[in-house]
Amino acid sequence: MSGEPLRYSPRVRELFAALPGGGALAPGEGVTVNGEAAALERGAWVRFEARVSGGRLADCAFRAWGCPHTLAAAAWLAQAMRAAPVADLRPAEVRELAHEIEAPAAKLGRLLVVVDAQSALLAAARAVQ
Amino acid sequence: MSGEPLRYSPRVRELFAALPGGGALAPGEGVTVNGEAAALERGAWVRFEARVSGGRLADCAFRAWGCPHTLAAAAWLAQAMRAAPVADLRPAEVRELAHEIEAPAAKLGRLLVVVDAQSALLAAARAVQ
Amino acid sequence: MNRAGPIYLDWAATAPLDRRVADAMCACLADPAAQANPSSGHASGRAAAALVARARGEVAALIGAPAESIVFTSGATESVNLAILGTARASPREHRHVVCSRVEHRAVTGACRQLEREVFEVSWLSPAAGGAIEPAAVAAALRPDTALVTLMQVNNETGALTDIAAVAKLCRERSVPLHVDAAQSAGKLPIDVAVDDGIALLSFCAHKLGGPKGIGALYQRRQPRPALQPLMSGGSHEAGLRPGTLATPQIVGFGAACRIARESLATEPARIRALRERLWQALQPAAPLWRNGVAEPSAPGILNAGFAGVEGESLLLALDGEVDVASGAACHSAVAEPSDVLRALGRSDLAIQASLRFSLGSGTTEAEVDRAAGLVVAAVRRLRSVLPAGALERVA
Amino acid sequence: MNRAGPIYLDWAATAPLDRRVADAMCACLADPAAQANPSSGHASGRAAAALVARARGEVAALIGAPAESIVFTSGATESVNLAILGTARASPREHRHVVCSRVEHRAVTGACRQLEREVFEVSWLSPAAGGAIEPAAVAAALRPDTALVTLMQVNNETGALTDIAAVAKLCRERSVPLHVDAAQSAGKLPIDVAVDDGIALLSFCAHKLGGPKGIGALYQRRQPRPALQPLMSGGSHEAGLRPGTLATPQIVGFGAACRIARESLATEPARIRALRERLWQALQPAAPLWRNGVAEPSAPGILNAGFAGVEGESLLLALDGEVDVASGAACHSAVAEPSDVLRALGRSDLAIQASLRFSLGSGTTEAEVDRAAGLVVAAVRRLRSVLPAGALERVA
Ligand SMILES: Cc1ncc(COP(=O)(O)O)c(C=O)c1O
Ligand SMILES: Cc1ncc(COP(=O)(O)O)c(C=O)c1O
């Protein structure tokens, strides 16, 4: 019933508080694609949705069940992908993602789920081009 | 270096504070007698001195090394014997002495030394009559 | 707690120090006549010893015990260890069996596991569905070689209440020493060791009932008196059972807290139980949700609730700085360790993760309960608003 | 202590709480933001944990240690037991020998006797004439199977000072863990475990140095780190070595006391040593008298003196309410038990009975010393005035 103090970087706290891009995609033009990955035993389930239009991810949203780092990473990636040309997008490196939001090493397993979901999204996006 | 609180009856505290009859006999008429008993390992060494005059203990004093109960008992006995006819005097009962000054049972061994010294005094007093 | 700070609903972890206790302790801390070592025979030592003696009487009175049956320790953890390790190690060679349960505090389960590493065999009882231990389960576990039964009265995670009177009767009949971990019940529910005289040992501490942290008590029955092997050496303090200089101001604070707790036993449990049910009602808009453990019989101040589809660490961060609550899981590392107690109730790891323990105490108000519930409902809804489809049903 | 009350010369038993420490503790006891359990992850718990962390740094700094090497306990007794029992029980099977001395505190001798009841062999070193343990005696006692050396730095009865630096060097060379009981030296003499890195473990407590009773510390070296088996189970607090809810206000008080003690280390030892010698001079009119233990090397604040022909219990009662001093014997029952420490110095039981331990501290003044000496001289003379002839020479 007790434990280590919660320690989150300001970036994680900020993303977690706002959860930008969380929930449904705003309506708009283009083809909707998604990518999902889940590992309940590891504590993460992430789904990205995006609208592909004119070779770009015109919009990108996420849904997630997981710890604050998972949610923050998903929110950050959704933002980072928005408006980018699909051809330029590569799945994130887990370590870079961890570095970006200052996640501890113990959370890498969960961030992998985020990256897996992103990979699935990118594959789907490339398929509809 | 620590221990049970010191617990002494008001009677012991009073006798110990004043030590009536402690030290040398006041000068006066009569024959001087004494009685002594010591048991260092038990923690007591008591000596009574008295002047016998007209069949009475005209004066009685004590000297002692010992715990407060020992000193108080010696002081009390010296007072109690003063002016009494030698023929009437009997050695005190240890239990009565303990009761008189409210000494705990654990101190009976020391009070025995007080009574032994008194017995010796009385024997000496009877011998000079 | 600070009105401006978070709403404190973690009274089962520790109660804020009662202001009257703080006053009594500060007076003692500053009193020149209270400074000496209570074991010193001199006048100043005797003055300190008198303060200890008075407090010992107050602590004893809370549980209906005579003053001389109380051994002061550093807390419930130490009391429990002394009771369990001490009784088992002092028991006759042919008594090598201990009865315990799967829902005990880690101090108890840890001590029993230590005994398993020594020469003892431990029967680990499982709780009934509501979280309490059935007296019948104890009866079934008793053996001719049972050296000790150790059970908690109130579970610290679920509030489940075990019928200690019935267990005590059983143990009395079978002449088996019973140790009760009363850390969560002393001062919160009436306890009377004079009535329930099957209780041989009882552990509690000050800080769960409004007293200071770092001081506890072990009640040791006089007749028959359970043999105890001390955990430490160092002097003849506390009847030779617990060495070390007595902490006068801590003990004075413990005494004051017990006196206050005793005076409030007639009214506080009902008030706090009503607040808890108000909280449960106010949380309903966060449905689907469930309760871990039965509503009754229970300790008044504990509500353990789970929220479907919610991840525990995120829920805690969402409430961070607004409501102080305990998680259903201990986050010792990144991967939270689900509570053994909730596991013993048959909850899945995901359901445990999604659970919070709310615990209320003497300072808790209706306004706090209402505000806290509102914040929790909002946090749960926000987290659910970003759940992937199907997650609400799948996780927990 | 109260100016109107007895003169307090029993600082080695416990020091009155420093006023500044009392203020820090009262502030913490009353602070709404300091009330939560420091182990709780929520905002209020983290606020309490921050107070603990700061105090841990202050406690560590007193002995030149890093904060993470400090384990909080309930006092020196517990620290010593954890160090001795913990190291021995955790040591490899082939290490079954412990080195201790005959002049240790009962917490140490008791723990070592407990080890003798287990599978250990203990070498009991005798002190040199002055009361200290010679490093050469330690060297001679070390064996290939030595699991632990445990020695006090300052003897609590005589003030005798053992050359711990030399012992530490020896132990380091032989790779034997050294535990130092620094209950009487920490905060009173400079100690630096970074320099004397042969010290593997070091025990001390708050109340001997102006801090609160009921809180202590065990220093555990990082490199190499001595293995320790905990005395109790109950949680992962204190790196798994010591379970139980941390007592924030106690720890805060301990930290404040260590900071104050550290700041005063440059001046206080010399001031107190001078007061002690002033006391010794002022007692000379009570000749024949003697000193138990050498004048130097010694802890500054302890003077153990014997008065020929005087019975200890009577001397104490004669001083009762006027001077708070400790006896050379522990009066646990009617028959006082002569101190083992003074016995080890070769004193007769009667000489021990006739001895008093005067101990001085930060609050002691010249006026107190002079008045106390006058009272002692008067009491000794009064008791001698009723001695039987020959007793002055025979007893003591
Ligand atoms: C049931 C139970 N037993 C024992 C303890 C240990 O108490 P403390 O940490 O004060 O030693 C607790 C506190 O968490 C508890 O809830
Ligand atoms: C040398 C020594 N070690 C250990 C202790 C034990 O300290 P505490 O009673 O605070 O646990 C003392 C206190 O008397 C002491 O003087």
Side-chain angles (χ1 to χ4, degrees):
Chain A
M1 306 294 283
S2 67
E4 283 293 299
L6 303 167
R7 288 233 177 81
Y8 303 105
S9 65
R11 193 94 187 88
V12 168
R13 287 187 177 270
E14 201 179 288
L15 288 162
F16 179 83
L19 293 180
L25 274 179
E29 283 196 8
V31 185
T32 300
V33 295
N34 67 65
E36 188 163 331
L40 293 192
E41 75 296 341
R42 250 190 273 161
W45 179 343
V46 179
R47 176 186 172 94
F48 288 104
E49 291 182 15
R51 262 189 297 105
V52 182
S53 171
R56 293 175 179 267
L57 289 193
D59 194 7
C60 184
F62 78 95
R63 292 177 176 275
W65 170 88
C67 73
H69 291 101
T70 306
L71 271 58
W76 186 80
L77 268 186
Q79 276 188 314
M81 290 189 286
R82 202 165 296 153
V86 173
D88 293 358
L89 282 168
R90 296 279 168 281
E93 285 284 336
V94 169
R95 299 206 162 266
E96 279 167 30
L97 190 55
H99 184 256
E100 183 66 39
I101 62 168
E102 297 172 46
K107 293 288 183 94
L108 295 184
R110 295 178 187 190
L111 297 191
L112 202 55
V113 177
V114 182
V115 172
D116 284 349
Q118 184 202 21
S119 301
L121 176 81
L122 294 182
R126 268 184 230 111
V128 298
Q129 275 197 300
Chain B
M1 306 293 283
S2 68
E4 283 295 296
L6 302 167
R7 288 234 177 81
Y8 303 105
S9 66
R11 193 95 187 86
V12 168
R13 287 187 176 268
E14 201 179 287
L15 287 162
F16 179 83
L19 294 180
L25 273 180
E29 282 196 6
V31 186
T32 301
V33 295
N34 66 64
E36 187 164 330
L40 294 193
E41 73 296 342
R42 250 190 274 160
W45 179 343
V46 179
R47 176 185 172 95
F48 289 105
E49 291 182 18
R51 263 190 296 105
V52 182
S53 171
R56 292 175 182 268
L57 288 195
D59 194 7
C60 185
F62 78 94
R63 291 177 177 276
W65 171 87
C67 74
H69 291 101
T70 305
L71 271 58
W76 186 81
L77 268 186
Q79 276 186 315
M81 291 189 285
R82 204 165 294 155
V86 174
D88 294 359
L89 284 167
R90 297 281 169 279
E93 285 284 338
V94 170
R95 298 207 164 264
E96 281 168 28
L97 191 55
H99 184 253
E100 184 65 37
I101 62 168
E102 297 170 46
K107 292 289 182 94
L108 295 183
R110 295 177 188 192
L111 297 191
L112 201 56
V113 177
V114 182
V115 171
D116 284 349
Q118 184 203 21
S119 301
L121 177 81
L122 294 183
R126 269 184 228 110
V128 299
Q129 274 197 297
Chain C
M1 308 297 279
N2 198 341
R3 300 279 133 191
I7 299 167
Y8 190 73
L9 291 179
D10 201 11
W11 291 73
T14 193
L17 193 66
D18 187 291
R19 193 186 34 73
R20 293 160 291 180
V21 175
D23 289 348
M25 289 182 69
C26 287
C28 184
L29 288 167
D31 182 1
Q35 301 295 318
N37 191 323
S39 302
S40 295
H42 50 60
S44 299
R46 297 195 312 270
L51 295 174
V52 169
R54 200 176 74 183
R56 196 186 297 276
E58 290 169 342
V59 170
L62 179 66
I63 59 164
E68 49 308 346
S69 64
I70 295 295
V71 175
F72 286 119
T73 67
S74 63
T77 295
E78 185 183 338
S79 296
V80 152
N81 276 273
L82 175 55
I84 297 173
L85 300 176
T87 306
R89 290 173 183 166
S91 65
R93 283 209 170 280
E94 62 280 13
H95 286 180
R96 288 293 175 260
H97 175 241
V98 170
V99 177
C100 177
S101 93
R102 297 187 188 283
V103 293
E104 301 299 310
H105 187 267
R106 283 190 294 175
V108 171
T109 54
C112 288
R113 272 198 291 265
Q114 173 61 33
L115 289 178
E116 284 181 329
R117 283 190 290 272
E118 298 175 12
V119 293
F120 294 86
E121 188 186 334
V122 177
S123 293
W124 296 93
L125 305 184
S126 289
I133 302 300
E134 305 276 8
V138 179
L142 288 180
R143 305 194 321 208
D145 66 338
T146 304
L148 178 72
V149 173
T150 179
L151 290 176
M152 67 204 325
Q153 183 165 26
V154 164
N155 184 275
N156 51 309
E157 300 193 39
T158 61
L161 182 64
T162 284
D163 183 354
I164 285 296
V167 176
K169 192 157 167 288
L170 246 167
C171 288
R172 179 96 226 199
E173 284 161 13
R174 306 279 287 266
S175 297
V176 175
L178 168 65
H179 166 245
V180 176
D181 175 359
Q184 292 291 347
S185 51
K188 298 178 185 175
L189 289 171
I191 304 173
D192 192 332
V193 295
V195 173
D196 294 326
D197 63 357
I199 299 175
L201 299 150
L202 184 137
S203 294
F204 59 114
C205 61
H207 76 95
K208 306 274 190 197
L209 53 85
K213 297 170 180 56
I215 185 84
L218 176 63
Y219 158 78
Q220 184 194 26
R221 187 178 57 201
R222 301 287 90 182
Q223 273 301 335
R225 185 167 176 178
L228 281 179
Q229 181 182 308
L231 295 173
M232 310 180 220
S233 305
S236 54
H237 317 74
E238 302 297 283
L241 290 174
R242 208 287 184 171
T245 301
L246 289 169
T248 316
Q250 296 279 95
I251 291 170
V252 163
F254 194 4
C258 287
R259 192 181 60 243
I260 293 166
R262 193 157 63 102
E263 287 163 1
S264 70
L265 271 177
T267 53
E268 274 293 276
R271 189 188 73 86
I272 292 173
R273 177 168 277 120
L275 280 178
R276 181 191 62 185
E277 292 311 307
R278 183 185 180 99
L279 175 62
W280 177 238
Q281 289 312 318
L283 288 171
Q284 295 307 313
L289 84 172
W290 65 88
R291 204 159 172 157
N292 294 312
V294 285
E296 296 295 348
S298 69
I302 296 179
L303 170 65
N304 198 315
F307 303 88
V310 162
E311 198 272 347
E313 197 186 327
S314 283
L315 182 54
L316 287 181
L317 182 58
L319 296 171
D320 190 44
E322 307 205 294
V323 188
D324 293 326
V325 278
S327 157
C331 317
H332 291 294
S333 61
V335 183
E337 194 55 59
S339 145
D340 289 337
V341 172
L342 299 187
R343 270 190 173 159
L345 293 190
R347 294 287 173 203
S348 73
D349 288 1
L350 287 176
I352 295 170
Q353 292 259 12
S355 296
L356 295 179
R357 179 191 67 183
F358 302 89
S359 55
L360 291 61
S362 61
T364 308
T365 63
E366 289 193 350
E368 282 184 336
V369 159
D370 294 349
R371 248 199 87 217
L375 290 162
V376 172
V377 169
V380 167
R381 285 184 172 161
R382 195 168 79 86
L383 292 174
R384 285 191 188 141
S385 74
V386 301
L387 276 186
L392 184 65
E393 298 71 37
R394 284 274 310 279
V395 302
Chain D
M1 310 295 278
N2 197 341
R3 300 278 132 192
I7 299 167
Y8 190 72
L9 292 179
D10 201 11
W11 292 73
T14 194
L17 193 66
D18 187 291
R19 192 187 34 71
R20 292 161 291 180
V21 175
D23 290 348
M25 289 181 69
C26 287
C28 184
L29 288 168
D31 181 2
Q35 301 294 318
N37 191 322
S39 303
S40 295
H42 50 60
S44 300
R46 297 195 312 270
L51 296 173
V52 169
R54 200 175 76 183
R56 196 187 296 275
E58 290 169 343
V59 170
L62 180 67
I63 59 164
E68 57 294 357
S69 64
I70 295 295
V71 175
F72 286 119
T73 67
S74 64
T77 296
E78 185 184 337
S79 295
V80 152
N81 276 273
L82 175 54
I84 297 174
L85 301 176
T87 306
R89 291 173 182 166
S91 64
R93 282 208 170 280
E94 62 278 14
H95 287 180
R96 286 294 175 258
H97 175 241
V98 171
V99 177
C100 176
S101 93
R102 297 186 189 285
V103 293
E104 301 299 310
H105 187 268
R106 283 189 295 175
V108 171
T109 55
C112 287
R113 273 197 293 266
Q114 174 60 33
L115 289 178
E116 284 182 329
R117 283 190 289 273
E118 298 175 10
V119 292
F120 294 87
E121 188 186 335
V122 176
S123 293
W124 296 94
L125 306 184
S126 289
I133 303 300
E134 306 275 9
V138 180
L142 289 180
R143 306 193 321 208
D145 66 338
T146 303
L148 178 72
V149 173
T150 178
L151 290 176
M152 66 204 324
Q153 183 165 26
V154 164
N155 184 275
N156 52 309
E157 300 194 39
T158 61
L161 181 65
T162 284
D163 183 353
I164 286 296
V167 176
K169 193 157 166 287
L170 246 167
C171 288
R172 177 95 226 201
E173 283 161 13
R174 306 280 287 267
S175 297
V176 175
L178 167 65
H179 167 245
V180 176
D181 174 359
Q184 292 291 346
S185 52
K188 298 178 185 174
L189 290 171
I191 304 173
D192 192 332
V193 294
V195 174
D196 295 326
D197 62 357
I199 299 174
L201 298 150
L202 184 136
S203 293
F204 59 114
C205 61
H207 76 94
K208 307 274 190 196
L209 53 85
K213 297 172 181 54
I215 185 84
L218 176 62
Y219 158 77
Q220 184 193 25
R221 188 176 57 200
R222 300 287 91 179
Q223 274 298 338
R225 186 167 174 178
L228 281 178
Q229 182 181 308
L231 295 172
M232 310 180 220
S233 305
S236 54
H237 317 74
E238 302 297 283
L241 291 174
R242 208 288 183 169
T245 301
L246 289 169
T248 317
Q250 296 279 95
I251 291 170
V252 164
F254 195 4
C258 287
R259 192 181 60 241
I260 293 167
R262 192 156 63 101
E263 286 162 2
S264 70
L265 271 176
T267 54
E268 274 294 276
R271 188 188 75 85
I272 292 174
R273 178 168 276 120
L275 280 178
R276 181 191 64 185
E277 291 311 307
R278 183 184 180 100
L279 175 62
W280 176 238
Q281 289 311 317
L283 287 172
Q284 295 307 313
L289 84 172
W290 65 86
R291 201 159 176 160
N292 294 312
V294 285
E296 296 295 349
S298 69
I302 296 180
L303 171 65
N304 198 314
F307 303 89
V310 163
E311 198 273 345
E313 197 186 327
S314 283
L315 182 54
L316 287 182
L317 182 58
L319 296 172
D320 191 43
E322 306 206 293
V323 188
D324 293 326
V325 277
S327 156
C331 317
H332 290 295
S333 62
V335 182
E337 195 55 58
S339 143
D340 288 336
V341 172
L342 299 186
R343 268 189 175 160
L345 293 190
R347 294 287 172 202
S348 73
D349 287 1
L350 288 176
I352 295 170
Q353 293 260 11
S355 297
L356 295 179
R357 178 190 67 182
F358 302 90
S359 55
L360 292 61
S362 60
T364 308
T365 62
E366 289 193 351
E368 282 184 336
V369 158
D370 294 348
R371 250 200 85 217
L375 290 163
V376 172
V377 169
V380 167
R381 285 183 172 160
R382 194 168 80 84
L383 293 174
R384 284 191 190 141
S385 73
V386 301
L387 275 187
L392 184 64
E393 297 72 36
R394 284 276 308 281
V395 301

